[in-house]
Amino acid sequence: MSSNARHVPVMLQRCLDMLAPALTEPGAVVVDCTLGAGGHSEALLKTFPDARLVALDRDPTALELAGERLKPYGERATLVRAVYHELPEVLERLGIPKVQGVLFDLGVSSMQLDEAGRGFAYAQDAPLDMRMDQTTGISAAEVLNTYAPGDLVRILRAYGEEKQARRIVEAIVRERAAEPFTNSARLVDVIREALPQAAKRHGGNPAKRTFQALRIEVNAELASVEAAIPAAVAALAVGGRIAVLSYQSLEDRIVKQVFAAGATSTAPPGLPVVPERYQPRLKLLTRGAELPTEEEVAENRRAAPARLRGAERIREDIR
Protein backbone atom coordinates (compact mmCIF):
# COMPACT_ATOMS: atom_id res chain seq x y z
CA MET A 1 0.00 0.00 0.00
CA SER A 2 1.34 3.44 -0.89
CA SER A 3 1.99 6.06 1.76
CA ASN A 4 -0.70 8.24 0.12
CA ALA A 5 -3.36 5.57 0.45
CA ARG A 6 -2.81 4.55 4.02
CA HIS A 7 -2.03 7.88 5.69
CA VAL A 8 -4.82 10.37 6.41
CA PRO A 9 -3.37 13.61 7.85
CA VAL A 10 -5.02 14.53 11.15
CA MET A 11 -6.92 17.85 11.46
CA LEU A 12 -5.41 18.84 8.13
CA GLN A 13 -7.68 21.74 7.16
CA ARG A 14 -7.56 23.25 10.66
CA CYS A 15 -3.74 23.15 10.61
CA LEU A 16 -3.67 24.82 7.19
CA ASP A 17 -6.11 27.50 8.31
CA MET A 18 -4.09 28.16 11.46
CA LEU A 19 -0.82 28.61 9.56
CA ALA A 20 -2.30 30.42 6.53
CA PRO A 21 -1.92 34.06 7.64
CA ALA A 22 1.85 33.55 7.99
CA LEU A 23 2.43 31.73 4.69
CA THR A 24 0.91 33.96 2.00
CA GLU A 25 3.96 36.10 1.24
CA PRO A 26 6.44 34.92 -1.43
CA GLY A 27 9.52 33.34 0.11
CA ALA A 28 7.78 32.22 3.30
CA VAL A 29 9.41 29.16 4.87
CA VAL A 30 7.33 26.52 6.66
CA VAL A 31 8.89 23.63 8.59
CA ASP A 32 7.14 20.28 8.96
CA CYS A 33 9.06 18.90 11.91
CA THR A 34 7.40 15.48 11.64
CA LEU A 35 7.31 14.57 7.95
CA GLY A 36 6.05 10.98 8.27
CA ALA A 37 4.28 9.90 5.09
CA GLY A 38 4.22 13.49 3.86
CA GLY A 39 0.49 14.20 4.00
CA HIS A 40 0.71 17.50 5.86
CA SER A 41 3.79 18.53 3.85
CA GLU A 42 2.09 17.89 0.52
CA ALA A 43 -0.95 19.91 1.57
CA LEU A 44 1.28 22.81 2.69
CA LEU A 45 3.08 22.89 -0.67
CA LYS A 46 -0.19 22.65 -2.59
CA THR A 47 -2.05 25.25 -0.51
CA PHE A 48 0.74 27.83 -0.32
CA PRO A 49 2.38 27.87 -3.77
CA ASP A 50 4.79 30.68 -2.89
CA ALA A 51 6.11 28.95 0.24
CA ARG A 52 9.22 26.83 0.68
CA LEU A 53 9.06 23.67 2.80
CA VAL A 54 11.72 22.22 5.08
CA ALA A 55 10.67 18.80 6.40
CA LEU A 56 12.38 16.74 9.12
CA ASP A 57 12.17 13.07 10.01
CA ARG A 58 14.53 10.66 11.74
CA ASP A 59 13.10 7.65 9.87
CA PRO A 60 14.97 6.86 6.61
CA THR A 61 11.96 4.94 5.26
CA ALA A 62 9.68 7.92 5.82
CA LEU A 63 12.12 10.22 4.04
CA GLU A 64 12.31 7.89 1.06
CA LEU A 65 8.55 7.43 0.68
CA ALA A 66 7.68 11.08 1.33
CA GLY A 67 10.47 12.12 -1.03
CA GLU A 68 8.71 10.29 -3.87
CA ARG A 69 5.42 11.89 -2.91
CA LEU A 70 6.89 15.40 -2.86
CA LYS A 71 9.09 15.03 -5.94
CA PRO A 72 6.68 17.05 -8.14
CA TYR A 73 7.39 20.12 -5.99
CA GLY A 74 11.08 20.07 -6.87
CA GLU A 75 13.35 22.50 -5.03
CA ARG A 76 10.47 23.97 -3.03
CA ALA A 77 10.77 20.95 -0.70
CA THR A 78 13.92 20.25 1.30
CA LEU A 79 13.84 16.97 3.24
CA VAL A 80 16.32 16.47 6.08
CA ARG A 81 17.09 13.42 8.19
CA ALA A 82 16.96 14.82 11.71
CA VAL A 83 15.08 14.62 14.99
CA TYR A 84 12.85 17.64 15.53
CA HIS A 85 14.87 19.00 18.44
CA GLU A 86 17.73 19.44 15.93
CA LEU A 87 15.73 22.17 14.15
CA PRO A 88 18.15 25.02 15.04
CA GLU A 89 21.13 23.14 13.55
CA VAL A 90 19.14 22.25 10.42
CA LEU A 91 18.10 25.86 9.81
CA GLU A 92 21.65 27.07 10.40
CA ARG A 93 23.02 24.60 7.85
CA LEU A 94 20.42 25.73 5.32
CA GLY A 95 21.13 29.41 5.96
CA ILE A 96 17.58 30.17 7.14
CA PRO A 97 17.61 32.65 10.03
CA LYS A 98 13.85 32.72 10.67
CA VAL A 99 10.77 30.83 9.47
CA GLN A 100 7.15 31.83 9.02
CA GLY A 101 5.48 28.56 9.97
CA VAL A 102 6.15 25.38 11.98
CA LEU A 103 4.02 22.25 12.19
CA PHE A 104 4.45 19.30 14.56
CA ASP A 105 2.42 16.08 14.31
CA LEU A 106 3.87 14.33 17.35
CA GLY A 107 4.05 10.66 18.27
CA VAL A 108 4.29 7.60 16.06
CA SER A 109 3.24 8.04 12.43
CA SER A 110 0.51 6.04 10.71
CA MET A 111 3.16 4.68 8.37
CA GLN A 112 5.16 3.28 11.29
CA LEU A 113 2.04 1.80 12.89
CA ASP A 114 1.12 0.12 9.61
CA GLU A 115 4.55 -1.48 9.13
CA ALA A 116 4.12 -4.74 11.05
CA GLY A 117 7.86 -5.30 11.34
CA ARG A 118 8.40 -2.10 13.34
CA GLY A 119 6.67 -3.42 16.47
CA PHE A 120 4.79 -0.21 17.33
CA ALA A 121 1.29 -1.71 17.20
CA TYR A 122 0.05 -3.98 19.98
CA ALA A 123 -2.74 -5.29 17.73
CA GLN A 124 -0.39 -7.38 15.54
CA ASP A 125 2.54 -9.64 16.34
CA ALA A 126 5.92 -8.23 15.34
CA PRO A 127 9.51 -7.95 16.58
CA LEU A 128 9.67 -5.59 19.57
CA ASP A 129 11.68 -2.83 17.94
CA MET A 130 9.80 0.52 18.16
CA ARG A 131 12.77 2.61 17.00
CA MET A 132 11.74 5.43 14.69
CA ASP A 133 15.26 5.24 13.26
CA GLN A 134 16.16 1.57 13.10
CA THR A 135 19.83 2.31 12.42
CA THR A 136 20.57 3.57 15.92
CA GLY A 137 19.68 3.17 19.59
CA ILE A 138 18.26 0.28 21.58
CA SER A 139 15.07 -1.61 20.77
CA ALA A 140 12.02 -2.10 22.96
CA ALA A 141 13.06 -5.74 23.41
CA GLU A 142 16.42 -4.63 24.84
CA VAL A 143 14.65 -2.29 27.25
CA LEU A 144 12.34 -5.08 28.43
CA ASN A 145 15.13 -7.65 28.77
CA THR A 146 17.88 -5.54 30.35
CA TYR A 147 16.41 -2.67 32.39
CA ALA A 148 16.26 -3.04 36.16
CA PRO A 149 12.74 -3.65 37.50
CA GLY A 150 12.68 -0.26 39.22
CA ASP A 151 13.52 1.51 35.96
CA LEU A 152 10.78 -0.37 34.11
CA VAL A 153 8.25 0.63 36.78
CA ARG A 154 9.36 4.25 36.50
CA ILE A 155 9.01 4.22 32.70
CA LEU A 156 5.54 2.67 32.74
CA ARG A 157 4.33 5.13 35.36
CA ALA A 158 5.93 8.24 33.91
CA TYR A 159 5.48 7.64 30.18
CA GLY A 160 2.45 5.35 30.12
CA GLU A 161 0.62 6.68 33.21
CA GLU A 162 0.08 3.00 33.98
CA LYS A 163 -1.44 2.50 37.44
CA GLN A 164 -0.65 -1.21 37.36
CA ALA A 165 3.03 -0.68 36.52
CA ARG A 166 4.45 -2.72 39.39
CA ARG A 167 2.19 -5.69 38.71
CA ILE A 168 3.06 -5.64 34.99
CA VAL A 169 6.80 -5.33 35.62
CA GLU A 170 6.77 -8.22 38.09
CA ALA A 171 5.25 -10.39 35.36
CA ILE A 172 7.75 -9.14 32.76
CA VAL A 173 10.73 -9.86 35.01
CA ARG A 174 9.42 -13.33 35.78
CA GLU A 175 8.85 -14.11 32.09
CA ARG A 176 12.14 -12.69 30.81
CA ALA A 177 14.05 -14.89 33.24
CA ALA A 178 12.57 -17.92 31.51
CA GLU A 179 12.97 -16.54 27.99
CA PRO A 180 13.90 -13.06 26.71
CA PHE A 181 11.16 -11.04 25.00
CA THR A 182 11.41 -10.75 21.21
CA ASN A 183 7.88 -10.24 19.89
CA SER A 184 4.93 -8.04 20.72
CA ALA A 185 2.23 -10.75 20.98
CA ARG A 186 3.93 -12.39 23.95
CA LEU A 187 4.23 -9.06 25.75
CA VAL A 188 0.54 -8.35 25.17
CA ASP A 189 -0.35 -11.77 26.60
CA VAL A 190 1.85 -11.20 29.67
CA ILE A 191 0.22 -7.81 30.31
CA ARG A 192 -3.29 -9.27 29.96
CA GLU A 193 -2.48 -12.04 32.43
CA ALA A 194 -0.89 -9.65 34.91
CA LEU A 195 -3.81 -7.22 35.16
CA PRO A 196 -6.80 -7.69 37.46
CA GLN A 197 -10.16 -8.06 35.72
CA ALA A 198 -11.33 -4.61 36.81
CA ALA A 199 -8.38 -2.96 35.03
CA LYS A 200 -9.25 -4.73 31.77
CA ARG A 201 -12.88 -3.59 31.60
CA HIS A 202 -12.23 -0.04 30.33
CA GLY A 203 -9.62 2.10 28.60
CA GLY A 204 -9.17 0.03 25.45
CA ASN A 205 -6.41 -2.52 24.93
CA PRO A 206 -4.69 -3.15 28.29
CA ALA A 207 -1.28 -3.14 26.56
CA LYS A 208 -1.76 0.37 25.16
CA ARG A 209 -0.09 2.27 28.00
CA THR A 210 2.89 -0.09 28.24
CA PHE A 211 3.54 0.12 24.50
CA GLN A 212 3.33 3.92 24.65
CA ALA A 213 5.81 4.00 27.53
CA LEU A 214 8.29 1.73 25.75
CA ARG A 215 8.06 3.74 22.53
CA ILE A 216 8.69 7.01 24.36
CA GLU A 217 11.69 5.53 26.20
CA VAL A 218 13.22 3.96 23.07
CA ASN A 219 12.97 7.19 21.07
CA ALA A 220 13.55 9.67 23.93
CA GLU A 221 10.41 11.40 22.70
CA LEU A 222 9.57 13.63 25.65
CA ALA A 223 13.11 14.97 25.92
CA SER A 224 12.96 15.79 22.20
CA VAL A 225 9.61 17.55 22.57
CA GLU A 226 10.85 19.53 25.59
CA ALA A 227 13.77 20.83 23.50
CA ALA A 228 11.96 21.12 20.17
CA ILE A 229 8.95 23.29 21.02
CA PRO A 230 10.98 26.17 22.54
CA ALA A 231 13.46 25.89 19.64
CA ALA A 232 10.63 26.16 17.12
CA VAL A 233 9.18 29.20 18.88
CA ALA A 234 12.63 30.82 18.84
CA ALA A 235 12.92 30.14 15.09
CA LEU A 236 9.68 31.97 14.27
CA ALA A 237 9.81 35.41 12.70
CA VAL A 238 7.43 38.02 14.09
CA GLY A 239 4.04 37.16 12.62
CA GLY A 240 5.10 33.52 12.25
CA ARG A 241 2.82 30.77 13.49
CA ILE A 242 3.27 27.33 15.06
CA ALA A 243 0.73 24.49 15.19
CA VAL A 244 1.29 21.36 17.29
CA LEU A 245 -0.74 18.14 17.21
CA SER A 246 -0.31 15.95 20.32
CA TYR A 247 -1.80 12.55 21.00
CA GLN A 248 -1.24 12.01 24.70
CA SER A 249 -1.34 14.16 27.80
CA LEU A 250 2.42 14.19 28.47
CA GLU A 251 3.23 15.80 25.10
CA ASP A 252 0.26 18.16 25.26
CA ARG A 253 1.28 19.34 28.73
CA ILE A 254 4.74 20.34 27.45
CA VAL A 255 3.25 22.26 24.52
CA LYS A 256 0.72 23.98 26.79
CA GLN A 257 3.42 25.08 29.23
CA VAL A 258 5.75 26.47 26.54
CA PHE A 259 2.94 28.38 24.83
CA ALA A 260 1.52 29.70 28.12
CA ALA A 261 4.95 30.93 29.23
CA GLY A 262 5.47 32.70 25.90
CA ALA A 263 2.04 34.36 26.12
CA THR A 264 2.62 35.66 29.67
CA SER A 265 4.33 38.87 30.77
CA THR A 266 7.58 38.30 32.66
CA ALA A 267 7.54 41.70 34.36
CA PRO A 268 8.17 41.90 38.09
CA PRO A 269 4.93 42.71 39.93
CA GLY A 270 4.12 46.35 40.65
CA LEU A 271 5.76 48.04 37.65
CA PRO A 272 3.69 51.08 36.63
CA VAL A 273 4.74 50.63 32.99
CA VAL A 274 5.82 47.26 31.59
CA PRO A 275 8.95 47.54 29.37
CA GLU A 276 8.77 45.79 26.02
CA ARG A 277 11.32 43.15 26.99
CA TYR A 278 8.84 41.82 29.55
CA GLN A 279 5.87 41.75 27.17
CA PRO A 280 4.52 38.41 25.91
CA ARG A 281 6.27 36.93 22.84
CA LEU A 282 3.34 34.79 21.78
CA LYS A 283 -0.37 35.14 21.15
CA LEU A 284 -2.35 31.93 21.66
CA LEU A 285 -4.42 30.85 18.65
CA THR A 286 -6.47 28.22 20.46
CA ARG A 287 -8.51 28.38 23.63
CA GLY A 288 -7.17 25.32 25.36
CA ALA A 289 -6.58 22.41 23.00
CA GLU A 290 -8.80 21.99 19.95
CA LEU A 291 -10.20 18.53 19.25
CA PRO A 292 -11.00 16.80 15.95
CA THR A 293 -14.62 16.86 14.84
CA GLU A 294 -16.85 13.84 15.29
CA GLU A 295 -16.96 13.51 11.51
CA GLU A 296 -13.17 13.31 11.26
CA VAL A 297 -12.92 10.73 14.03
CA ALA A 298 -15.59 8.64 12.28
CA GLU A 299 -13.53 8.72 9.08
CA ASN A 300 -10.09 8.35 10.72
CA ARG A 301 -10.04 6.62 14.12
CA ARG A 302 -6.40 7.62 14.65
CA ALA A 303 -7.52 11.24 14.93
CA ALA A 304 -9.52 10.51 18.11
CA PRO A 305 -6.83 11.37 20.71
CA ALA A 306 -5.49 14.41 18.80
CA ARG A 307 -5.12 17.76 20.56
CA LEU A 308 -4.18 20.86 18.55
CA ARG A 309 -2.59 24.00 19.98
CA GLY A 310 -1.32 27.02 18.07
CA ALA A 311 0.49 30.29 18.73
CA GLU A 312 1.70 33.35 16.83
CA ARG A 313 5.00 35.14 17.41
CA ILE A 314 4.17 38.77 18.19
CA ARG A 315 7.54 40.22 19.12
CA GLU A 316 11.27 39.47 19.00
CA ASP A 317 13.26 38.53 22.06
CA ILE A 318 14.89 41.58 23.60
CA ARG A 319 17.86 41.03 25.85
Side-chain angles (χ1 to χ4, degrees), residues 16-271:
L16 295 174
D17 292 344
M18 187 177 288
L19 296 173
L23 299 179
T24 54
E25 294 296 319
V29 177
V30 59
V31 183
D32 184 348
C33 286
T34 44
L35 173 64
H40 285 108
S41 281
E42 183 179 41
L44 288 165
L45 288 163
K46 189 180 296 183
T47 306
F48 307 109
D50 293 322
R52 174 188 175 188
L53 171 83
V54 176
L56 280 56
D57 207 294
R58 71 173 80 182
D59 186 340
T61 304
L63 289 165
E64 181 180 350
L65 292 174
E68 287 297 315
R69 183 175 189 167
L70 303 180
K71 190 177 288 185
Y73 298 95
E75 293 183 356
R76 287 182 58 211
T78 302
L79 276 54
V80 182
R81 183 175 175 183
V83 188
Y84 35 71
H85 69 257
E86 297 172 324
L87 175 62
E89 292 84 353
V90 171
L91 294 179
E92 184 177 1
R93 286 202 309 270
L94 295 174
I96 301 173
K98 292 289 181 181
V99 302
Q100 283 65 48
V102 180
L103 174 66
F104 286 88
D105 185 11
L106 296 171
V108 63
S109 75
S110 292
M111 183 191 68
Q112 290 164 335
L113 284 170
D114 290 336
E115 291 292 338
R118 305 297 291 270
F120 287 104
Y122 42 76
Q124 51 190 339
D125 192 23
L128 276 167
D129 193 309
M130 297 193 193
R131 290 173 296 169
M132 292 179 180
D133 178 356
Q134 290 184 300
T135 66
T136 187
I138 66 169
S139 68
E142 290 175 272
V143 171
L144 282 172
N145 294 324
T146 65
Y147 275 31
D151 289 333
L152 288 174
V153 170
R154 173 184 56 79
I155 290 166
L156 265 59
R157 284 177 176 165
Y159 299 159
E161 299 178 290
E162 175 56 75
K163 295 177 181 177
Q164 303 290 335
R166 188 167 296 282
R167 189 187 292 257
I168 291 171
V169 169
E170 286 173 355
I172 287 171
V173 171
R174 191 165 55 245
E175 286 292 319
R176 78 184 187 186
E179 182 183 350
F181 283 91
T182 57
N183 279 52
S184 56
R186 180 175 170 228
L187 176 60
V188 172
D189 289 342
V190 168
I191 293 168
R192 285 187 188 278
E193 289 295 319
L195 293 177
Q197 285 300 321
K200 292 186 278 191
R201 292 196 191 106
H202 51 80
N205 192 304
K208 176 175 65 176
R209 291 175 294 277
T210 297
F211 272 63
Q212 173 181 299
L214 289 170
R215 192 199 80 219
I216 289 172
E217 171 67 13
V218 166
N219 297 290
E221 288 179 47
L222 291 186
S224 288
V225 173
E226 286 174 341
I229 304 302
V233 168
L236 285 175
V238 173
R241 290 185 165 207
I242 177 172
V244 184
L245 284 161
S246 306
Y247 296 85
Q248 39 99 343
S249 60
L250 301 172
E251 293 171 339
D252 183 56
R253 192 177 305 141
I254 294 168
V255 179
K256 176 183 177 180
Q257 290 170 348
V258 173
F259 284 6
T264 303
S265 169
T266 58
L271 289 183

Side-chain angles (χ1 to χ4, degrees), residues 261-299:
T264 303
S265 169
T266 58
L271 289 183
V273 177
V274 178
E276 187 179 354
R277 69 178 179 275
Y278 295 132
Q279 298 284 1
R281 297 172 298 139
L282 297 178
K283 178 179 75 174
L284 301 183
L285 300 175
T286 54
R287 181 172 294 188
E290 290 188 8
L291 310 180
T293 63
E294 292 181 4
E295 292 78 12
E296 179 173 3
V297 173
E299 292 176 7

